Amino acid sequence: MRIGINPNKEINQQESFFIHQVIIPVYIPNEEDYFKDAIKILKICLNSLFNTIHDRTYITIVNNGSCENVVQFLNTLFQEKKINELIHADNVGKINAVFKGLSGNNIELVTITDADVMFLGDWQSETVKIFTEIPKAGVVGLVPQIRMYKYKGGNVIFDNFFNKRMKFLPIKNPDALIHFCESIGWGRDYNQDYLKFGLGLEYEKVKCFVGAGHFVATYKKDVFEELKTFIGGKKAAGIGEDYIDEKGLEKDYWRLTTYDNYAYHMGNVYEEWMDMIPQNTSSAVYENFHFAKRKKINKVTHFFKNKLIKKLISKKWSAKLFLKWTKLPKEMIENF
């Protein structure tokens, strides 16, 4: 039986105090073999996050079918109010874990990160700087990587082809770039010129690189407006991330990365350098952003900006012309 009307039924949802959400899917099914160091690395990841965020950051952890030790650890963090939201789920795959973290929150900036990322000081302020200065930015990565412009950077190249903002910029932190390559198992047999220059954009107040990876990146919430459907079938992380990345392109958002390195990828094996937990350097607090939302572009425009440009910068003859046009040093063009 019900008597009367729920007094909260007609109350409008208030604007959130939080302006930045961080979502971390966690999948550690055991503590053996591949996952032997995973809990230790997760703790380093979270400590680095706690030490580098401002107090208007909302942390969501989605336990994606982890073992009991991980469940107890995460429950303790939630009870101690170190994280704002803890969601326990079966192993539904990374993409669906992200959907669960997005659901029910209306926060304008959302960082999606793997559980093996070490955050460095000022990552939030540098990310916000790009979103603020470049209105078309929809995704901002924290870790410059080799030739990122080739991964879904076609619309950035198309839109900036005839202006002087787009050019090859010197790599600011080559040691961090080497570190990332080693963290994913690469040797040093790649072209060493990749450590010297990357395609970027240079504005009056900010520099950044074209393209972004997706093991840690910050998105405008508008990118996820239509991501409301459970993805069945294969659970591979790459499938899910590519699905999200395509949604950003459908609204013609640019994928960019900070000019300097603001995070490290740790991988699944603990190393002594990982104990270098950064101190809190992020005291800045920002007003609510109120970023303008974008509508979907038509299929023809999407094809020209993304599919066609990708083909042009992949063919050897046209790639050389492109590299020359964007002012890569002449001696590097042949093999870049």
Side-chain angles (χ1 to χ4, degrees):
M1 182 171 107
R2 177 187 297 159
I3 299 176
I5 299 175
N6 186 333
N8 293 314
K9 189 174 182 180
E10 302 299 329
I11 296 176
N12 292 326
Q13 186 177 10
Q14 294 181 347
E15 188 172 49
S16 175
F17 166 78
F18 299 100
I19 58 175
H20 196 150
Q21 181 184 18
V22 180
I23 300 176
I24 311 175
V26 176
Y27 175 63
I28 305 175
N30 56 61
E31 297 177 69
E32 303 169 0
D33 301 325
Y34 183 89
F35 298 100
K36 179 171 63 73
D37 295 334
I39 293 181
K40 191 169 188 176
I41 288 171
L42 172 63
K43 290 178 179 179
I44 294 172
C45 167
L46 292 175
N47 283 331
S48 74
L49 180 65
F50 298 153
N51 288 339
T52 57
I53 55 175
H54 54 66
D55 62 3
R56 296 183 69 183
T57 307
Y58 188 91
I59 301 175
T60 297
I61 295 183
V62 184
N63 166 37
N64 195 21
S66 298
C67 64
E68 186 58 30
N69 281 349
V70 174
V71 171
Q72 292 179 7
F73 169 63
L74 296 177
N75 283 339
T76 299
L77 289 181
F78 183 70
Q79 291 164 4
E80 293 175 349
K81 300 187 184 302
K82 291 185 176 180
I83 59 178
N84 303 87
E85 183 177 39
L86 175 59
I87 301 168
H88 292 294
D90 293 329
N91 180 16
V92 293
K94 180 176 178 179
I95 182 67
N96 291 310
V98 169
F99 287 1
K100 287 178 179 291
L102 289 167
S103 178
N105 294 307
N106 189 27
I107 302 171
E108 284 197 274
L109 288 182
V110 181
T111 296
I112 299 172
T113 176
D114 289 352
D116 59 354
V117 171
M118 176 186 285
F119 290 87
L120 304 179
D122 296 323
W123 73 270
Q124 277 186 309
S125 58
E126 292 300 316
T127 298
V128 168
K129 189 184 297 183
I130 293 175
F131 281 116
T132 302
E133 296 295 324
I134 307 177
K136 288 199 69 174
V139 184
V140 177
L142 305 179
V143 180
Q145 297 165 42
I146 287 175
R147 298 196 299 176
M148 284 189 303
Y149 66 91
K150 291 198 167 187
Y151 179 72
K152 301 188 187 302
N155 61 341
V156 188
I157 293 171
F158 183 95
D159 291 345
N160 291 278
F161 197 82
F162 292 107
N163 67 49
K164 295 181 179 180
R165 288 175 179 160
M166 186 174 68
K167 64 185 79 171
F168 274 88
L169 302 173
I171 299 295
K172 184 171 183 178
N173 194 336
D175 289 339
L177 188 52
I178 292 170
H179 181 281
F180 174 75
C181 293
E182 291 177 348
S183 77
I184 58 175
W186 286 16
R188 290 293 298 273
D189 55 348
Y190 50 82
N191 187 341
Q192 297 300 292
D193 288 340
Y194 297 157
L195 302 175
K196 299 175 183 177
F197 286 91
L199 186 68
L201 298 176
E202 186 170 19
Y203 284 70
E204 184 176 346
K205 296 182 180 179
V206 68
K207 292 180 183 178
C208 60
F209 288 111
V210 175
H214 44 219
F215 76 96
V216 57
T218 301
Y219 301 74
K220 285 180 179 173
K221 183 66 178 284
D222 184 39
V223 170
F224 305 110
E225 185 178 25
E226 297 178 3
L227 298 181
K228 300 174 183 177
T229 305
F230 184 91
I231 305 299
K234 295 182 180 179
K235 297 177 181 177
I239 294 174
E241 290 163 340
D242 188 72
Y243 179 77
I244 289 177
D245 296 343
E246 280 295 325
K247 288 297 178 184
L249 297 182
E250 287 176 7
K251 291 192 172 186
D252 205 23
Y253 278 122
W254 293 354
R255 298 180 63 83
L256 306 170
T257 293
T258 53
Y259 185 51
D260 204 350
N261 182 75
Y262 288 98
Y264 286 124
H265 176 249
M266 292 184 283
N268 67 317
V269 178
Y270 169 77
E271 299 173 80
E272 289 185 2
W273 68 267
M274 296 175 186
D275 286 324
M276 179 192 65
I277 304 298
Q279 297 301 309
N280 190 343
T281 59
S282 297
S283 58
V285 175
Y286 308 93
E287 298 298 326
N288 292 52
F289 306 115
H290 299 298
F291 294 121
K293 292 185 177 182
R294 299 184 62 84
K295 296 181 179 180
K296 278 188 174 182
I297 57 175
N298 63 61
K299 292 182 179 180
V300 174
T301 303
H302 183 277
F303 172 80
F304 272 97
K305 285 191 170 190
N306 296 288
K307 308 298 183 183
L308 184 60
I309 292 294
K310 180 180 179 180
K311 289 182 179 180
L312 288 175
I313 62 176
S314 298
K315 293 184 180 296
K316 192 167 184 178
W317 68 271
S318 51
K320 285 184 180 180
L321 293 176
F322 172 71
L323 296 175
K324 184 177 180 180
W325 178 260
T326 45
K327 302 188 185 311
L328 183 71
K330 292 181 180 179
E331 65 274 15
M332 298 182 184
I333 290 176
E334 182 66 29
N335 298 311
F336 200 84

